[in-house]
Amino acid sequence: MRCEGPKTTTTTTSASLQVPTPADGNFTRALAIPVHYEHGNEFEDGSAVYSKCSMYAVNFTEVLANNIRKADPSWPTQPCRSGWEYNFTDVPYRTAATDFEWVCENAYLSTLSQSIFFVGAIVGGLLFGWIADRYGRIPALAGCNVIGFVAGVVTAFVGNFWQFALCRFLVGFAFDNCFTMMYILAFYLKGIVKKF
């Protein structure tokens, strides 16, 4: 993931990323995105890394009109306004994090949604354990599967974090219990078969 530079009307595209060219009146990444150097600086053989969460807060039309082709590190910065570019090499499909832009100051939302899933698993284990004891393993297993299926399908159509978190809670609520109920049922059936 990396911050995109300001949008303009025309761009040129390379094989791996979208790079606007100044010859076409567009902004280059090097002019719009701050560079951080790891293990040194630009004069000490440091490796340059573009900022993932910030861009320069300058008037880029004026910068190009003044024929400035190199960013000044003292320029003020601001959070990315133009969105982010995602690298789909390792994970070749969109995820909730890319769809909802859980990056930079919202990067914690991915971890929070996973934690909500496991809270659902704890609550579901307690509730479905009680249901299994009170009404039987088959009704509890059917309930787990229905809740897990519906919440899993609805997850694909949610529009914000809280809807996603609710669906993940419900999937977690049912997920572990589907396996636990099957294990207990198989354990009981094994005992019944041994008797005969």
Side-chain angles (χ1 to χ4, degrees):
M1 179 274 306
R2 64 177 152 233
C3 185
E4 281 187 0
K7 301 275 194 237
T8 57
T9 54
T10 60
T11 58
T12 60
T13 304
S14 72
S16 60
L17 55 104
Q18 198 174 37
V19 183
T21 58
D24 295 330
N26 298 312
F27 308 103
T28 63
R29 181 178 314 285
L31 191 60
I33 310 299
V35 174
H36 304 287
Y37 291 94
E38 295 179 353
H39 313 294
N41 59 40
E42 66 179 314
F43 304 110
E44 296 176 358
D45 196 29
S47 57
V49 177
Y50 286 105
S51 173
K52 293 183 178 184
C53 299
S54 62
M55 62 186 291
Y56 288 117
V58 294
N59 182 340
F60 291 103
T61 305
E62 185 178 306
V63 166
L64 286 179
N66 292 331
N67 203 28
I68 298 172
R69 296 292 182 242
K70 184 169 168 87
D72 182 352
S74 66
W75 287 345
T77 59
Q78 65 186 0
C80 290
R81 291 187 324 212
S82 305
W84 290 267
E85 291 179 21
Y86 298 96
N87 182 351
F88 293 108
T89 305
D90 294 334
V91 179
Y93 50 84
R94 294 180 4 224
T95 65
T98 59
D99 285 349
F100 297 126
E101 295 189 341
W102 295 343
V103 294
C104 299
E105 68 274 356
N106 292 326
Y108 72 95
L109 293 176
S110 290
T111 304
L112 181 59
S113 66
Q114 193 64 12
S115 297
I116 289 170
F117 172 88
F118 286 110
V119 168
I122 293 167
V123 173
L126 295 172
L127 183 65
F128 279 111
W130 177 81
I131 290 171
D133 289 342
R134 175 109 180 167
Y135 300 104
R137 306 283 184 246
I138 301 293
L141 179 62
C144 284
N145 285 317
V146 168
I147 290 172
F149 173 76
V150 170
V153 170
V154 171
T155 300
F157 301 103
V158 298
N160 63 46
F161 171 75
W162 293 110
Q163 292 171 351
F164 183 81
L166 175 64
C167 288
R168 292 301 293 162
F169 177 85
L170 293 174
V171 169
F173 188 76
F175 182 74
D176 285 340
N177 297 304
C178 291
F179 300 112
T180 304
M181 295 300 158
M182 287 302 292
Y183 174 76
I184 292 170
L185 283 171
F187 187 72
Y188 282 151
L189 288 174
K190 181 182 174 188
I192 291 171
V193 169
K194 275 188 170 182
K195 288 182 182 179
F196 293 106

